[in-house]
Amino acid sequence: MKIAQIAPLAEAVPPKLYGGTERVIWWLTEALVDLGHDVTLYASGDSVTSARLVPCSEAGLRLAGINDHAAATLAMLDRVLREADRYDILHFHVDLLQYPMFRHLAGKCLTTLHGRQDLPDFWPIHDAFPEKNLVSISDNQRAPIPQANFIGTVYHGMPDALIPFAPAGGDYLAFIGRISPEKRPDRAIEIARRAGMKLRIAAKIDNADKAYFEERIAPLLEGADVEFIGEIGDAEKPEFLGNAAALLFPIDWPEPFGLVMIEAMAAGTPVIAFANGSVPEVIEPGVTGAIVSSVEEAVDAVPFVRAIPRETVRRAFEARFTAHRMARDYVALYESLAGLGTLPPPAFAGDAFAASRGLDMAGAGTYG
Amino acid sequence: MKIAQIAPLAEAVPPKLYGGTERVIWWLTEALVDLGHDVTLYASGDSVTSARLVPCSEAGLRLAGINDHAAATLAMLDRVLREADRYDILHFHVDLLQYPMFRHLAGKCLTTLHGRQDLPDFWPIHDAFPEKNLVSISDNQRAPIPQANFIGTVYHGMPDALIPFAPAGGDYLAFIGRISPEKRPDRAIEIARRAGMKLRIAAKIDNADKAYFEERIAPLLEGADVEFIGEIGDAEKPEFLGNAAALLFPIDWPEPFGLVMIEAMAAGTPVIAFANGSVPEVIEPGVTGAIVSSVEEAVDAVPFVRAIPRETVRRAFEARFTAHRMARDYVALYESLAGLGTLPPPAFAGDAFAASRGLDMAGAGTYG
């Protein structure tokens, strides 16, 4: 299948530093190539891929100091549109700028929504462009926009060797992510203290969260039972997660997916997660962790999840959250799209476009 | 002429508080209606206009707490596209989201660029969409993007009665605007002190500029010769500007237009401005003020501009910077657009669209 993947230009694919979306696109693209598909990746010029790369900016825009990405994204989308007939499927990972431009090709387009959908900012797009095919990264992510045309949920997956199985585990609780009010590191500290276990926190502190860290979290870090080790990279994750007894994921927001949960599971480390967002879909209680609704329940869950064999956790990861599983799910969606195999002739596409626009195409016979 | 004005949804037209772009759109729309044109305004639902209003959001998005305006803007543009055949001219005041959607109608579209163009963020749009008709608000604004298709410069204008002529003037120097490093209030203070004159500062302090104000400006405010009166509204401007001996505009950035200069001129108050951005186009030395390149030159200019009869300044405003002059300039551009009066039939528009996209429309004869 001839597939175009259209990535945000904010970060390279894979990203140099942060960038969950770009990491997932990287894993998906590599897996699709591995499955034998003809894949083209539209992304920043410093991207590295086994697919054919179409560079659409010199480098990832954020690290290049570009704050407004709309112009570069529209230029990329214009290039994709000009080359659209080369592909069976156009798979977009940019939020919304593509909908008007690709309306007449909506049948072979799909867009994965990578972010939260509970903020009203994006809602007008769903009424204006109802024909677009959307993919959610959890069923829960769809809740705020029931009117949107979702054709499936595809959970993220990662390469199965990226974080190897760590059969022994360890004796501390782990917290990894950003220090921010919605990630609730304060809850993690309270859970660990009440469970009588050491907590290790691997987290970055964005500028926006500096005041929160100084005022709310730093005072809680006194004492030998909490270790704040700062931000860690991909190379350090296997050890950090593999040596943990459990990962704490005490979130307070509608997390659309939560990659860190499957990273822990890859290591065989169970997850104690609060029942928000995607959590009930990602965590299987007693298999890969526990789902809780309070600090008390989280404390009680510690011995419960430590009793789960780490092999069980790893096996669930391999069954549900590898990049190849993700790629196969997407291929099934690509194949399900109505237009595929029976693509309308160009005239039909233009006609549908005109009709959808309310344009008067009565004189169109003069085309020939 | 049937004209659509498409405004940003950030603020109402006119804006409830700040919003230079929306104020200019308001003035332009009222003047076009006054000149007898059939004008439709696409804007937020709390806008007030003599034109036909098409409400595209309930209220101005910024004050409604919406941070990302792309979805609402795309929905508005989609509505404009569906109704495009009602108009002879589509005049956009949103920066760039319209270019791909209206490519096939580019002949009857124009976009006024209201912001600075020296940041690289927006440059990719000009290579990707070269056919779009652009209007600059000063010639200098174009300098960073020589490749862009500008069809004219139209200086802003304001209703001639908004700030009445104040023949007497006064004895202080005035500074009005935001407290920010690029507006250089520090220079204004130094100029006034060295000229031996009182300075009155009417300025808002954005959150982003709080630290700059506290660290750099507040210490300079000690003493009876500088009065900081905070932010003022439209109702207070006539008195503040009309009672000044001169306005100081000591900017340090490529100001694309600078409404405050013509507000001062409306009152008959001359302007001492640094030679950046639009300044050499807006200020006529010896007629409406002085153009300087250093604090020394600004100090020397104070007696020079005080010698200009205030009637001379007001007359220059009336000749060059009224809303009716702005509206007539735009109408001349509307009339100059190639497609006007000889609009291509819908089929041609679609054909040009297809050709520009590289789409294969060979089978288009099957349309009929």
Side-chain angles (χ1 to χ4, degrees):
Chain A
M1 197 175 278
K2 291 176 187 163
I3 302 162
Q5 296 288 335
I6 299 103
L9 296 172
E11 313 289 344
V13 177
K16 309 289 184 198
L17 298 169
Y18 333 121
T21 297
E22 288 83 358
R23 287 169 80 206
V24 170
I25 296 167
W26 184 46
W27 297 334
L28 171 62
T29 300
E30 296 301 307
L32 288 169
V33 170
D34 202 45
L35 292 175
H37 294 284
D38 179 353
V39 187
T40 300
L41 175 65
Y42 293 82
S44 77
D46 53 346
S47 296
V48 178
T49 177
S50 304
R52 182 174 78 100
L53 176 67
V54 178
C56 295
S57 64
E58 199 174 302
L61 299 181
R62 187 178 65 88
L63 297 178
I66 303 290
N67 294 314
D68 192 317
H69 301 175
T73 304
L74 288 175
M76 172 175 72
L77 292 172
D78 184 59
R79 176 153 186 187
V80 175
L81 186 56
R82 279 186 278 117
E83 300 173 354
D85 57 359
R86 298 183 186 178
Y87 308 111
D88 302 315
I89 285 289
L90 304 171
H91 186 171
F92 295 94
H93 301 270
V94 294
D95 287 326
L96 75 176
L97 296 183
Q98 70 279 18
Y99 301 135
M101 299 174 71
F102 290 86
R103 186 163 232 177
H104 60 300
L105 298 174
K108 68 176 191 180
C109 293
L110 75 171
T111 296
T112 296
L113 296 181
H114 286 267
R116 65 195 297 179
Q117 302 300 319
D118 59 316
L119 301 176
D121 302 35
F122 300 110
W123 294 349
I125 207 75
H126 302 296
D127 296 320
F129 302 95
E131 70 289 335
K132 64 195 182 310
N133 297 311
L134 297 177
V135 178
S136 43
I137 59 175
S138 65
D139 292 342
N140 180 272
Q141 184 196 25
R142 303 181 183 190
I145 44 172
Q147 77 276 34
N149 180 37
F150 283 101
I151 60 168
T153 288
V154 178
Y155 298 122
H156 288 336
M158 53 185 273
D160 51 8
L162 194 66
I163 295 186
F165 178 48
D171 58 7
Y172 58 86
L173 298 175
F175 177 97
I176 184 168
R178 278 183 301 115
I179 295 290
S180 73
E182 60 198 20
K183 298 283 189 182
R184 295 299 299 264
D186 56 323
R187 271 187 186 157
I189 294 167
E190 188 182 352
I191 293 164
R193 288 207 163 122
R194 289 171 59 173
M197 289 183 72
K198 182 179 167 76
L199 177 70
R200 299 186 76 205
I201 299 177
K204 70 180 174 115
I205 307 168
D206 288 341
N207 279 334
D209 295 313
K210 281 225 162 79
Y212 170 74
F213 177 75
E214 294 299 339
E215 289 162 26
R216 306 288 304 275
I217 302 305
L220 303 176
L221 298 180
E222 316 271 314
D225 56 343
V226 180
E227 185 186 6
F228 182 77
I229 63 173
E231 188 179 357
I232 64 173
D234 278 355
E236 298 145 292
K237 274 187 189 171
E239 192 182 328
F240 179 77
L241 290 169
N243 289 340
L247 176 77
L248 298 182
F249 196 63
I251 53 165
D252 212 1
W253 75 300
E255 178 85 49
F257 182 75
L259 275 176
V260 63
M261 290 190 285
I262 69 170
E263 289 175 332
M265 288 160 61
T269 300
V271 182
I272 299 172
F274 272 56
N276 288 312
S278 64
V279 163
E281 299 168 64
V282 175
I283 301 296
E284 296 170 275
V287 179
T288 52
I291 302 172
V292 301
S293 301
S294 66
V295 168
E296 291 69 28
E297 288 180 26
V299 173
D300 291 345
V302 173
F304 172 74
V305 303
R306 294 190 79 176
I308 302 172
R310 295 180 66 91
E311 292 78 6
T312 304
V313 180
R314 171 74 192 186
R315 269 200 303 274
F317 161 77
E318 289 173 356
R320 299 185 63 210
F321 295 115
T322 66
H324 276 79
R325 192 277 310 148
M326 169 171 64
R328 284 191 301 269
D329 281 0
Y330 273 117
V331 170
L333 284 182
Y334 301 160
E335 288 172 344
S336 77
L337 285 183
L340 204 66
T342 55
L343 273 178
F348 176 80
D351 209 20
F353 173 69
S356 75
R357 293 273 102 113
L359 296 178
D360 174 13
M361 298 296 276
T366 57
Y367 266 52
Chain B
M1 197 177 272
K2 292 178 187 160
I3 302 163
Q5 296 289 335
I6 300 102
L9 297 172
E11 313 289 346
V13 175
K16 309 288 185 199
L17 298 170
Y18 332 120
T21 297
E22 288 83 357
R23 287 169 81 207
V24 170
I25 296 167
W26 185 46
W27 298 333
L28 172 61
T29 301
E30 295 301 307
L32 288 169
V33 170
D34 202 45
L35 292 174
H37 294 285
D38 178 354
V39 187
T40 301
L41 175 65
Y42 293 81
S44 76
D46 53 348
S47 296
V48 178
T49 177
S50 304
R52 183 173 78 99
L53 176 67
V54 178
C56 295
S57 65
E58 199 174 301
L61 299 181
R62 187 178 65 88
L63 296 178
I66 303 291
N67 294 314
D68 193 317
H69 301 176
T73 303
L74 289 175
M76 171 174 72
L77 292 172
D78 185 59
R79 175 150 187 192
V80 174
L81 186 56
R82 280 186 278 114
E83 300 173 353
D85 57 359
R86 298 183 186 179
Y87 308 111
D88 302 314
I89 285 289
L90 304 171
H91 186 172
F92 296 95
H93 301 271
V94 295
D95 286 328
L96 74 178
L97 296 182
Q98 71 278 20
Y99 301 136
M101 300 172 73
F102 289 86
R103 186 164 232 176
H104 60 301
L105 298 174
K108 68 176 190 179
C109 294
L110 76 170
T111 296
T112 296
L113 297 181
H114 285 267
R116 65 196 293 179
Q117 302 299 319
D118 58 314
L119 301 175
D121 303 36
F122 300 110
W123 294 348
I125 207 75
H126 302 296
D127 296 320
F129 302 94
E131 71 289 335
K132 65 194 182 310
N133 297 312
L134 298 176
V135 178
S136 42
I137 58 175
S138 64
D139 291 341
N140 180 272
Q141 185 196 26
R142 303 180 181 190
I145 44 173
Q147 77 277 31
N149 180 35
F150 283 101
I151 60 167
T153 287
V154 177
Y155 298 122
H156 288 337
M158 52 185 274
D160 50 9
L162 196 66
I163 296 187
F165 178 47
D171 58 5
Y172 59 85
L173 298 174
F175 178 97
I176 185 168
R178 279 183 300 116
I179 293 291
S180 73
E182 59 198 19
K183 298 283 189 181
R184 294 302 297 266
D186 56 323
R187 272 187 187 157
I189 294 167
E190 190 182 351
I191 293 164
R193 287 205 164 126
R194 288 171 60 174
M197 288 183 72
K198 182 179 167 76
L199 178 70
R200 299 186 77 204
I201 299 177
K204 69 179 176 117
I205 305 168
D206 289 341
N207 279 334
D209 295 314
K210 281 227 164 74
Y212 170 72
F213 176 76
E214 294 299 339
E215 289 164 25
R216 304 289 302 279
I217 302 305
L220 303 176
L221 298 181
E222 316 272 315
D225 56 343
V226 180
E227 185 187 5
F228 182 78
I229 63 173
E231 188 179 358
I232 62 172
D234 278 356
E236 298 145 292
K237 275 188 188 171
E239 192 182 328
F240 180 77
L241 290 169
N243 291 338
L247 176 78
L248 298 181
F249 196 63
I251 53 164
D252 212 2
W253 75 298
E255 178 85 49
F257 182 75
L259 275 176
V260 63
M261 290 190 284
I262 68 171
E263 289 175 331
M265 288 160 60
T269 300
V271 182
I272 298 172
F274 272 57
N276 288 312
S278 64
V279 163
E281 298 169 64
V282 175
I283 301 297
E284 295 171 274
V287 179
T288 52
I291 302 172
V292 301
S293 300
S294 67
V295 168
E296 290 71 26
E297 288 180 25
V299 173
D300 291 344
V302 173
F304 172 74
V305 303
R306 294 189 80 176
I308 301 172
R310 294 179 68 90
E311 291 78 6
T312 304
V313 180
R314 171 73 192 187
R315 269 200 304 274
F317 161 76
E318 289 173 357
R320 300 185 62 208
F321 296 116
T322 66
H324 276 79
R325 192 277 311 150
M326 168 171 65
R328 283 191 301 269
D329 281 1
Y330 273 117
V331 170
L333 284 181
Y334 301 160
E335 289 173 343
S336 78
L337 285 182
L340 204 67
T342 56
L343 274 177
F348 177 80
D351 208 21
F353 174 70
S356 75
R357 294 273 102 113
L359 296 178
D360 176 13
M361 297 295 276
T366 57
Y367 267 51

